Amino acid sequence: MADTTVLREGLRFGEGPRQGPDGRLYYSDFYDHEVRAFDLATGEEEVVCAVPGQPSGLGWLPDGRLLVVSMRDRKVLRLEDGGLVEHADLTGIATFHANDMLVDAEGRAYVGNFGFDLHAAIAAGGEASMLEPGWVAPGTPLALVRPDGSVEVAAEDLKFPNGTGLLPDGRLVIAETLAFGLTVFDVADDGTLSGRRVFASLRDHFIAPDGIAVDGDGGVWVAPALQPFVFRVEEGGGITRKVETSQTCFAVAIVGDRLVCCTAPSSQPEVVSQARSGRLEVFEL
């Protein structure tokens, strides 16, 4: 039996959950092409904007303007006076669909991408093919978008850079989904990354980390993408909590004292783009 409570049903595929400046949960629904804001206290929801290119990662500039990743055209868009404008063009860096994003307090955005056509690879060989010894995912860069929209490479050769967070000590931790682990970097004052090292190896636990959320004690809550659980992982790979969800969990956020989980039966577009099986689930921390 799941440990979570279902708050919202009828999604196609929820992703990129974040607590907004107003305290509400913001999230993207890939195949409804919408960014929504959900009030956890009242259950009220509104559509914030429509993103024809398929929305994913979300974040806010210091002045409160929303940034959203437009996946298929590999851009970061900015919400201005109720409309979306281009903030940054990632086509020179992202080698396939742009995806999750972290925006820090300075307005710098770290944006990952698929690196290759993952869904086609799964359709052809199944998820099990990626667990075979010797299989190595294509590497791809992590993009750094400056507050003015200029773009540079933050790190090279990541294996599907996905959920990203900042640890209490200021280091950046990122889920390398197809390396089956979490990677950590030191962050310089100018936002550049260095000192790449393993935060936690998760292959033995069958965890392909997707979305993540960092808590105040430095634990990383990990959506495993292949299992109906969320795991709290500490540096070194220790798992200290395990929360069962009603279906596979692909993304998480901490909103106040609640863990919010985006779940779905699959991540394959042919499965979830037509059905409305996606859910928002919550667990009291």
Side-chain angles (χ1 to χ4, degrees):
M1 181 177 292
D3 300 315
T4 54
T5 300
V6 176
L7 286 185
R8 167 77 154 85
E9 296 187 280
L11 310 184
R12 295 190 191 274
F13 191 80
E15 259 283 10
R18 297 280 185 192
Q19 181 172 357
D22 59 7
R24 292 185 297 174
L25 171 75
Y26 286 70
Y27 72 96
S28 296
D29 190 320
F30 277 12
Y31 304 115
D32 268 343
H33 304 279
E34 291 179 347
V35 176
R36 305 184 186 122
F38 186 92
D39 189 317
L40 297 183
T42 66
E44 294 180 357
E45 184 175 80
E46 70 166 311
V47 175
V48 177
C49 59
V51 183
Q54 194 169 306
S56 184
L58 305 172
W60 288 265
L61 292 169
D63 62 9
R65 287 176 296 170
L66 176 69
L67 299 182
V68 53
V69 170
S70 182
M71 298 179 69
R72 291 183 173 274
D73 52 5
R74 308 180 201 182
K75 296 182 185 295
V76 177
L77 306 179
R78 187 178 68 248
L79 190 61
E80 293 273 4
D81 300 321
L84 291 170
V85 299
E86 182 176 313
H87 182 70
D89 185 344
L90 307 177
T91 55
I93 292 179
T95 54
F96 203 68
H97 295 340
N99 192 25
D100 215 336
M101 174 173 66
L102 169 73
V103 182
D104 70 11
E106 304 298 322
R108 298 177 296 224
Y110 299 88
V111 190
N113 73 91
F114 281 39
F116 70 114
D117 192 341
L118 172 68
H119 296 311
I122 292 175
E127 293 169 342
S129 64
M130 299 175 189
L131 297 171
E132 295 177 357
W135 185 85
V136 178
T140 194
L142 177 71
L144 169 57
V145 178
R146 300 288 180 182
D148 65 359
S150 59
V151 181
E152 62 195 73
V153 172
E156 298 272 12
D157 194 29
L158 295 171
K159 312 303 184 184
F160 203 117
N162 210 327
T164 309
L166 287 172
L167 296 166
D169 61 11
R171 291 178 298 160
L172 182 143
V173 61
I174 185 166
E176 286 195 73
T177 302
L178 295 179
F180 294 86
L182 303 176
T183 300
V184 68
F185 293 89
D186 298 319
V187 183
D189 290 344
D190 65 356
T192 56
L193 305 181
S194 64
R196 177 178 178 170
R197 53 206 181 273
V198 174
F199 182 88
S201 178
L202 300 172
R203 186 180 291 272
D204 290 346
H205 300 286
F206 195 58
I207 295 172
D210 193 328
I212 65 171
V214 178
D215 65 29
D217 295 320
V220 181
W221 293 85
V222 177
L226 299 173
Q227 304 178 57
F229 296 99
V230 182
F231 299 92
R232 184 182 184 274
V233 179
E234 294 189 335
E235 190 163 10
I239 294 176
T240 59
R241 296 286 297 277
K242 180 180 178 180
V243 175
E244 185 173 358
T245 53
S246 70
Q247 51 189 351
T248 303
C249 185
F250 293 95
V252 291
I254 296 174
V255 180
D257 58 358
R258 296 178 178 182
L259 182 72
V260 180
C261 312
C262 294
T263 71
S266 169
S267 64
Q268 285 297 94
E270 64 271 19
V271 175
V272 295
S273 64
Q274 300 304 313
R276 288 193 174 274
S277 302
R279 296 171 180 161
L280 295 179
E281 306 183 29
V282 67
F283 176 75
E284 302 288 340
L285 291 173

XYZ file of all heavy atoms in Angstrom, residues 83-166:
603
model
N 2.960 36.575 -21.329
C 3.378 35.866 -22.536
C 4.795 35.344 -22.409
O 5.589 35.835 -21.600
N 5.128 34.352 -23.203
C 6.464 33.756 -23.167
C 7.352 34.367 -24.234
O 6.939 34.549 -25.383
C 6.379 32.242 -23.381
C 5.748 31.438 -22.238
C 5.500 30.004 -22.671
C 6.643 31.463 -20.997
N 8.595 34.677 -23.852
C 9.605 35.166 -24.778
C 10.848 34.307 -24.622
O 11.043 33.648 -23.595
C 9.946 36.650 -24.523
C 8.714 37.520 -24.715
C 10.527 36.840 -23.128
N 11.697 34.297 -25.640
C 12.923 33.507 -25.562
C 13.906 34.140 -24.571
O 14.212 35.325 -24.654
C 13.562 33.402 -26.940
C 14.822 32.541 -26.937
C 15.417 32.356 -28.320
O 14.638 32.039 -29.263
O 16.642 32.547 -28.460
N 14.378 33.317 -23.658
C 15.396 33.741 -22.695
C 16.773 33.236 -23.119
O 17.762 33.960 -23.010
C 15.042 33.204 -21.303
C 15.985 33.613 -20.219
N 16.075 34.907 -19.750
C 16.895 32.891 -19.500
C 16.992 34.974 -18.794
N 17.508 33.769 -18.627
N 16.836 31.982 -23.608
C 18.121 31.401 -24.015
C 17.892 30.308 -25.047
O 16.898 29.582 -24.991
C 18.849 30.826 -22.802
N 18.832 30.197 -25.974
C 18.806 29.181 -27.020
C 19.886 28.152 -26.699
O 21.075 28.484 -26.650
C 19.066 29.837 -28.378
C 18.935 28.873 -29.542
O 18.937 27.646 -29.315
O 18.857 29.338 -30.692
N 19.470 26.894 -26.474
C 20.400 25.832 -26.076
C 20.800 24.933 -27.237
O 21.473 23.918 -27.016
C 19.754 24.971 -24.982
C 19.215 25.703 -23.751
C 18.548 24.710 -22.809
C 20.322 26.451 -23.034
N 20.413 25.292 -28.453
C 20.639 24.378 -29.573
C 22.115 24.137 -29.846
O 22.476 23.109 -30.432
C 19.955 24.892 -30.848
O 20.401 26.231 -31.123
C 18.446 24.898 -30.688
N 22.986 25.033 -29.433
C 24.413 24.815 -29.632
C 25.041 23.905 -28.611
O 26.211 23.516 -28.751
N 24.283 23.539 -27.557
C 24.821 22.704 -26.483
C 24.035 21.409 -26.321
O 24.617 20.324 -26.274
C 24.843 23.489 -25.151
C 25.877 24.616 -25.235
C 25.127 22.564 -23.971
C 25.964 25.474 -23.988
N 22.705 21.507 -26.205
C 21.877 20.322 -25.989
C 21.891 19.441 -27.228
O 21.617 19.919 -28.338
C 20.447 20.739 -25.648
N 22.167 18.144 -27.054
C 22.248 17.230 -28.194
C 20.937 16.483 -28.453
O 20.838 15.753 -29.431
C 23.390 16.222 -27.989
O 23.230 15.560 -26.726
C 24.728 16.936 -27.992
N 19.949 16.666 -27.590
C 18.584 16.204 -27.855
C 17.663 17.079 -27.011
O 18.040 18.191 -26.631
C 18.419 14.706 -27.548
C 17.271 14.079 -28.297
C 17.310 13.935 -29.670
C 16.138 13.644 -27.626
C 16.244 13.378 -30.379
C 15.064 13.082 -28.311
C 15.116 12.946 -29.696
N 16.452 16.630 -26.698
C 15.494 17.471 -25.983
C 16.103 18.057 -24.712
O 16.712 17.339 -23.907
C 14.265 16.660 -25.577
C 13.443 16.151 -26.716
N 13.500 16.691 -27.982
C 12.522 15.144 -26.783
C 12.656 16.047 -28.764
N 12.060 15.105 -28.072
N 15.920 19.364 -24.503
C 16.257 19.964 -23.215
C 15.282 19.430 -22.171
O 14.187 18.981 -22.490
C 16.173 21.482 -23.303
N 15.686 19.499 -20.881
C 14.882 18.801 -19.893
C 14.805 19.562 -18.574
O 14.295 20.665 -18.518
C 15.436 17.378 -19.716
C 14.529 16.468 -18.933
O 13.328 16.673 -18.885
N 15.094 15.454 -18.303
N 15.327 19.009 -17.513
C 15.176 19.611 -16.191
C 16.108 20.806 -16.023
O 17.086 20.965 -16.768
C 15.444 18.567 -15.105
C 14.562 18.763 -13.883
O 14.099 19.893 -13.659
O 14.352 17.781 -13.138
N 15.814 21.627 -15.009
C 16.553 22.875 -14.829
C 16.559 23.265 -13.357
O 15.566 23.094 -12.650
C 15.897 23.988 -15.659
C 16.475 25.387 -15.446
S 15.781 26.620 -16.596
C 14.056 26.677 -16.047
N 17.675 23.825 -12.916
C 17.782 24.469 -11.610
C 18.149 25.928 -11.839
O 19.112 26.225 -12.548
C 18.869 23.801 -10.768
C 19.251 24.555 -9.496
C 18.167 24.449 -8.450
C 20.579 24.057 -8.937
N 17.402 26.841 -11.230
C 17.743 28.263 -11.269
C 18.150 28.665 -9.859
O 17.383 28.491 -8.911
C 16.555 29.119 -11.754
C 16.957 30.591 -11.819
C 16.073 28.650 -13.127
N 19.369 29.197 -9.715
C 19.865 29.535 -8.382
C 19.431 30.952 -7.979
O 18.743 31.657 -8.730
C 21.380 29.335 -8.289
C 22.199 30.351 -9.084
O 21.642 31.358 -9.568
O 23.429 30.130 -9.215
N 19.840 31.358 -6.791
C 19.402 32.651 -6.252
C 19.919 33.827 -7.056
O 19.375 34.939 -6.961
C 19.847 32.773 -4.794
N 20.967 33.627 -7.856
C 21.512 34.686 -8.698
C 20.842 34.743 -10.068
O 21.165 35.611 -10.876
C 23.022 34.474 -8.889
C 23.818 34.393 -7.592
C 23.736 35.670 -6.790
O 23.742 36.755 -7.400
O 23.635 35.584 -5.548
N 19.947 33.796 -10.340
C 19.276 33.756 -11.634
C 20.025 32.959 -12.685
O 19.680 33.004 -13.865
N 21.048 32.224 -12.259
C 21.770 31.346 -13.190
C 21.021 30.029 -13.310
O 20.620 29.444 -12.300
C 23.193 31.106 -12.693
C 24.022 32.372 -12.605
C 25.401 32.119 -12.049
N 25.375 31.647 -10.683
C 26.173 32.085 -9.705
N 27.069 33.041 -9.964
N 26.106 31.582 -8.488
N 20.857 29.551 -14.538
C 20.104 28.323 -14.782
C 21.032 27.234 -15.284
O 21.820 27.454 -16.212
C 19.002 28.579 -15.807
N 20.940 26.071 -14.664
C 21.671 24.879 -15.098
C 20.643 23.954 -15.751
O 19.671 23.548 -15.110
C 22.338 24.199 -13.916
C 23.360 25.075 -13.207
C 22.979 25.929 -12.178
C 24.695 25.059 -13.602
C 23.911 26.752 -11.547
C 25.634 25.873 -12.970
C 25.229 26.716 -11.950
O 26.157 27.530 -11.329
N 20.865 23.630 -17.035
C 19.850 22.930 -17.813
C 20.442 21.663 -18.419
O 21.453 21.708 -19.136
C 19.296 23.816 -18.948
C 18.069 23.154 -19.569
C 18.948 25.207 -18.437
N 19.788 20.527 -18.123
C 20.215 19.262 -18.704
C 19.457 18.944 -19.975
O 18.524 19.650 -20.376
N 19.847 17.852 -20.619
C 19.141 17.394 -21.813
C 19.277 15.884 -21.943
O 20.107 15.251 -21.287
C 19.652 18.112 -23.063
C 21.024 17.656 -23.513
O 21.155 16.736 -24.325
N 22.084 18.279 -22.985
N 18.449 15.291 -22.793
C 18.435 13.834 -22.936
C 19.759 13.277 -23.454
O 20.153 12.182 -23.096
C 17.325 13.413 -23.916
C 15.940 13.392 -23.347
C 15.496 14.365 -22.465
C 15.054 12.397 -23.719
C 14.205 14.349 -21.959
C 13.758 12.366 -23.226
C 13.332 13.341 -22.346
N 20.390 13.996 -24.367
C 21.624 13.503 -24.968
C 21.399 12.655 -26.206
O 22.247 12.617 -27.106
N 20.274 11.953 -26.264
C 19.936 11.107 -27.418
C 18.452 10.768 -27.290
O 17.794 11.132 -26.310
C 20.790 9.836 -27.455
C 20.474 8.829 -26.370
C 19.934 7.596 -26.689
C 20.710 9.117 -25.024
C 19.631 6.666 -25.700
C 20.428 8.197 -24.032
C 19.873 6.967 -24.370
N 17.914 10.047 -28.264
C 16.488 9.729 -28.266
C 16.243 8.533 -27.353
O 16.174 7.381 -27.799
C 16.015 9.445 -29.698
C 14.496 9.392 -29.799
O 13.833 9.206 -28.761
O 13.973 9.511 -30.932
N 16.086 8.807 -26.077
C 15.903 7.758 -25.075
C 14.645 6.948 -25.342
O 14.656 5.708 -25.254
C 15.832 8.382 -23.680
C 15.453 7.437 -22.534
C 16.553 6.423 -22.291
C 15.132 8.216 -21.271
N 13.553 7.629 -25.655
C 12.288 6.913 -25.828
C 12.352 5.938 -27.002
O 11.800 4.834 -26.932
C 11.148 7.903 -26.011
C 10.919 8.775 -24.809
N 10.814 8.275 -23.531
C 10.779 10.121 -24.695
C 10.611 9.260 -22.677
N 10.595 10.394 -23.361
N 13.034 6.325 -28.069
C 13.195 5.415 -29.206
C 14.040 4.217 -28.818
O 13.764 3.083 -29.236
C 13.816 6.155 -30.387
N 15.078 4.448 -28.019
C 15.945 3.349 -27.580
C 15.181 2.369 -26.701
O 15.354 1.147 -26.819
C 17.149 3.908 -26.843
N 14.325 2.887 -25.817
C 13.528 2.003 -24.964
C 12.516 1.230 -25.797
O 12.300 0.025 -25.600
C 12.828 2.813 -23.859
C 13.862 3.355 -22.874
C 11.801 1.960 -23.126
C 13.284 4.271 -21.815
N 11.890 1.909 -26.762
C 10.923 1.240 -27.622
C 11.576 0.114 -28.417
O 10.963 -0.938 -28.657
C 10.283 2.248 -28.572
N 12.840 0.299 -28.810
C 13.539 -0.697 -29.619
C 14.068 -1.861 -28.784
O 13.969 -3.027 -29.187
C 14.688 -0.037 -30.376
N 14.649 -1.547 -27.617
C 15.321 -2.598 -26.853
C 14.833 -2.804 -25.443
O 15.279 -3.737 -24.765
N 13.928 -1.951 -24.988
C 13.441 -2.072 -23.623
C 14.403 -1.462 -22.619
O 15.592 -1.244 -22.918
N 13.885 -1.182 -21.424
C 14.725 -0.603 -20.378
C 15.828 -1.552 -19.947
O 16.915 -1.125 -19.544
C 13.851 -0.221 -19.180
C 12.883 0.914 -19.475
C 11.850 1.108 -18.399
O 11.652 0.170 -17.583
O 11.244 2.197 -18.346
N 15.585 -2.864 -20.040
C 16.568 -3.844 -19.589
C 17.873 -3.753 -20.373
O 18.943 -4.047 -19.844
C 15.991 -5.257 -19.706
N 17.789 -3.301 -21.635
C 19.005 -3.211 -22.455
C 20.001 -2.223 -21.869
O 21.212 -2.347 -22.065
C 18.647 -2.813 -23.885
O 18.087 -1.507 -23.924
N 19.502 -1.239 -21.125
C 20.372 -0.223 -20.551
C 20.985 -0.644 -19.219
O 21.782 0.081 -18.641
C 19.590 1.081 -20.387
C 19.105 1.604 -21.718
S 18.064 3.050 -21.597
C 17.510 3.164 -23.308
N 20.591 -1.815 -18.757
C 21.163 -2.358 -17.533
C 22.215 -3.416 -17.817
O 22.829 -3.942 -16.887
C 20.047 -2.974 -16.672
C 18.983 -1.989 -16.178
C 17.830 -2.752 -15.525
C 19.574 -0.991 -15.207
N 22.425 -3.733 -19.087
C 23.400 -4.754 -19.437
C 24.817 -4.267 -19.163
O 25.136 -3.089 -19.386
C 23.252 -5.133 -20.911
C 21.928 -5.797 -21.246
C 21.785 -6.087 -22.723
O 22.719 -5.713 -23.484
O 20.762 -6.669 -23.107
N 25.689 -5.161 -18.660
C 27.083 -4.776 -18.416
C 27.736 -4.265 -19.697
O 27.563 -4.827 -20.774
C 27.730 -6.088 -17.953
C 26.595 -6.918 -17.442
C 25.411 -6.559 -18.290
N 28.438 -3.169 -19.574
C 29.146 -2.623 -20.722
C 28.373 -1.590 -21.510
O 28.959 -0.879 -22.337
N 27.034 -1.479 -21.283
C 26.284 -0.464 -22.004
C 26.584 0.904 -21.397
O 26.515 1.091 -20.180
C 24.783 -0.735 -21.939
C 23.984 0.235 -22.773
C 23.729 0.126 -24.102
C 23.381 1.467 -22.340
N 22.986 1.216 -24.533
C 22.763 2.060 -23.477
C 23.316 2.135 -21.123
C 22.090 3.269 -23.420
C 22.632 3.351 -21.055
C 22.029 3.895 -22.190
N 26.943 1.846 -22.246
C 27.272 3.196 -21.788
C 26.423 4.184 -22.576
O 26.412 4.171 -23.812
C 28.770 3.507 -21.990
C 29.075 4.928 -21.553
C 29.632 2.517 -21.203
N 25.739 5.044 -21.863
C 24.908 6.053 -22.519
C 25.774 7.100 -23.197
O 26.891 7.387 -22.747
C 24.005 6.724 -21.488
N 25.284 7.705 -24.277
C 26.017 8.827 -24.862
C 26.136 9.967 -23.859
O 25.213 10.241 -23.100
C 25.131 9.232 -26.057
C 24.264 8.052 -26.329
C 24.052 7.386 -25.007
N 27.273 10.626 -23.860
C 27.464 11.773 -22.986
C 26.939 13.041 -23.629
O 26.855 13.155 -24.861
N 26.574 14.003 -22.803
C 26.072 15.278 -23.299
C 26.432 16.374 -22.305
O 26.630 16.099 -21.117
C 24.538 15.209 -23.519
O 24.110 16.333 -24.290
C 23.788 15.192 -22.207
N 26.544 17.630 -22.738
C 26.901 18.706 -21.809
C 25.724 19.150 -20.944
O 24.554 18.990 -21.302
C 27.333 19.853 -22.739
C 27.515 19.247 -24.089
C 26.575 18.093 -24.145
N 26.065 19.745 -19.819
C 25.130 20.506 -18.994
C 25.311 21.965 -19.356
O 26.437 22.465 -19.427
C 25.434 20.285 -17.513
C 24.592 21.072 -16.503
C 23.172 20.527 -16.463
C 25.224 21.012 -15.113
N 24.204 22.651 -19.610
C 24.269 24.059 -20.004
C 24.157 24.969 -18.789
O 23.412 24.687 -17.850
C 23.159 24.390 -20.999
N 24.887 26.069 -18.830
C 24.751 27.151 -17.850
C 24.221 28.372 -18.588
O 24.858 28.866 -19.525
C 26.099 27.460 -17.201
C 26.184 28.732 -16.338
C 25.154 28.723 -15.225
C 27.598 28.894 -15.777
N 23.047 28.833 -18.165
C 22.439 30.027 -18.759
C 22.589 31.167 -17.761
O 22.099 31.093 -16.629
C 20.947 29.800 -19.079
C 20.328 31.073 -19.656
C 20.773 28.634 -20.041
N 23.267 32.229 -18.181
C 23.445 33.412 -17.338
C 22.130 34.198 -17.253
O 21.249 34.038 -18.106
C 24.549 34.301 -17.914
C 25.909 33.619 -18.012
C 26.530 33.442 -16.658
N 27.841 32.782 -16.724
C 28.570 32.490 -15.644
N 28.111 32.808 -14.444
N 29.730 31.880 -15.770
N 21.975 35.040 -16.244
C 20.731 35.799 -16.118
C 20.383 36.633 -17.352
O 19.199 36.913 -17.606
C 20.987 36.685 -14.897
C 21.972 35.923 -14.078
C 22.860 35.247 -15.080
N 21.410 37.023 -18.130
C 21.133 37.805 -19.341
C 20.787 36.922 -20.542
O 20.580 37.432 -21.651
C 22.318 38.708 -19.675
C 23.586 37.926 -20.036
O 23.572 36.667 -20.010
O 24.618 38.568 -20.331
N 20.737 35.604 -20.353
C 20.383 34.691 -21.426
C 21.557 34.126 -22.198
O 21.365 33.273 -23.073
N 22.773 34.556 -21.908
C 23.934 33.970 -22.578
C 24.145 32.544 -22.076
O 23.822 32.208 -20.931
C 25.178 34.823 -22.334
O 25.458 34.937 -20.937
N 24.695 31.704 -22.944
C 24.769 30.271 -22.686
C 26.207 29.789 -22.815
O 26.942 30.214 -23.714
C 23.878 29.492 -23.683
C 23.926 27.996 -23.399
C 22.442 29.990 -23.620
N 26.592 28.887 -21.904
C 27.907 28.257 -21.970
C 27.809 26.837 -21.432
O 26.808 26.455 -20.821
C 28.940 29.056 -21.175
C 28.626 29.160 -19.691
C 29.445 30.248 -19.006
O 29.138 31.441 -19.227
O 30.364 29.889 -18.252
N 28.856 26.059 -21.670
C 28.901 24.689 -21.152
C 29.359 24.725 -19.697
O 30.394 25.302 -19.373
C 29.853 23.811 -21.989
C 30.047 22.446 -21.333
C 29.310 23.643 -23.408
N 28.570 24.087 -18.818
C 28.930 24.020 -17.400
C 29.740 22.775 -17.090
O 30.624 22.804 -16.226
C 27.669 24.035 -16.541
N 29.422 21.666 -17.776
C 30.133 20.399 -17.571
C 29.922 19.537 -18.799
O 28.883 19.619 -19.463
C 29.631 19.689 -16.322
N 30.902 18.697 -19.093
C 30.864 17.847 -20.284
C 30.537 16.399 -19.908
O 30.724 15.976 -18.757
C 32.229 17.861 -20.987
C 32.672 19.229 -21.487
C 32.181 19.541 -22.880
O 31.306 18.803 -23.372
O 32.671 20.517 -23.473
N 30.073 15.647 -20.893
C 29.991 14.186 -20.843
C 29.186 13.663 -19.656
O 29.617 12.767 -18.934
C 31.393 13.571 -20.842
C 31.372 12.073 -21.135
O 30.459 11.624 -21.846
O 32.253 11.349 -20.617
N 27.989 14.222 -19.463
C 27.086 13.681 -18.455
C 26.125 12.693 -19.127
O 25.739 12.871 -20.281
C 26.304 14.807 -17.790
C 27.142 15.800 -16.983
C 26.288 16.987 -16.547
C 27.769 15.134 -15.771
N 25.754 11.673 -18.391
C 24.911 10.608 -18.931
C 23.449 10.882 -18.574
O 22.952 10.448 -17.553
C 25.342 9.247 -18.379
C 26.839 8.971 -18.457
C 27.388 9.061 -19.881
C 28.872 8.680 -19.902
N 29.479 8.835 -21.242
N 22.798 11.677 -19.431
C 21.421 12.116 -19.235
C 21.315 12.963 -17.963
O 20.710 12.559 -16.975
C 20.468 10.918 -19.156
C 19.034 11.248 -19.508
C 18.421 10.663 -20.599
C 18.287 12.124 -18.732
C 17.097 10.951 -20.925
C 16.966 12.425 -19.039
C 16.373 11.829 -20.148
N 21.899 14.164 -17.969
C 21.791 15.053 -16.806
C 20.343 15.459 -16.574
O 19.682 15.976 -17.467
C 22.654 16.252 -17.202
C 22.692 16.222 -18.712
C 22.636 14.775 -19.084
N 19.871 15.233 -15.345
C 18.440 15.347 -15.083
C 18.208 16.234 -13.864
O 18.672 17.365 -13.835
C 17.858 13.936 -14.922
C 16.416 13.829 -15.356
O 15.644 14.765 -15.220
N 16.040 12.672 -15.879
N 17.495 15.756 -12.847
C 17.196 16.568 -11.676
C 18.450 17.151 -11.045
O 19.480 16.487 -10.958
N 18.352 18.397 -10.585
C 19.508 19.134 -10.083
C 19.108 19.901 -8.829
O 17.994 20.408 -8.738
C 20.031 20.115 -11.148
O 20.211 19.408 -12.384
C 21.349 20.743 -10.734
N 20.021 19.972 -7.862
C 19.735 20.709 -6.636
C 21.000 21.283 -6.034
O 22.115 20.915 -6.414
N 20.817 22.198 -5.100
C 21.932 22.777 -4.361
C 21.925 22.238 -2.942
O 20.901 22.286 -2.244
C 21.846 24.305 -4.347
C 22.166 25.008 -5.660
C 21.858 26.500 -5.559
C 23.631 24.795 -6.056
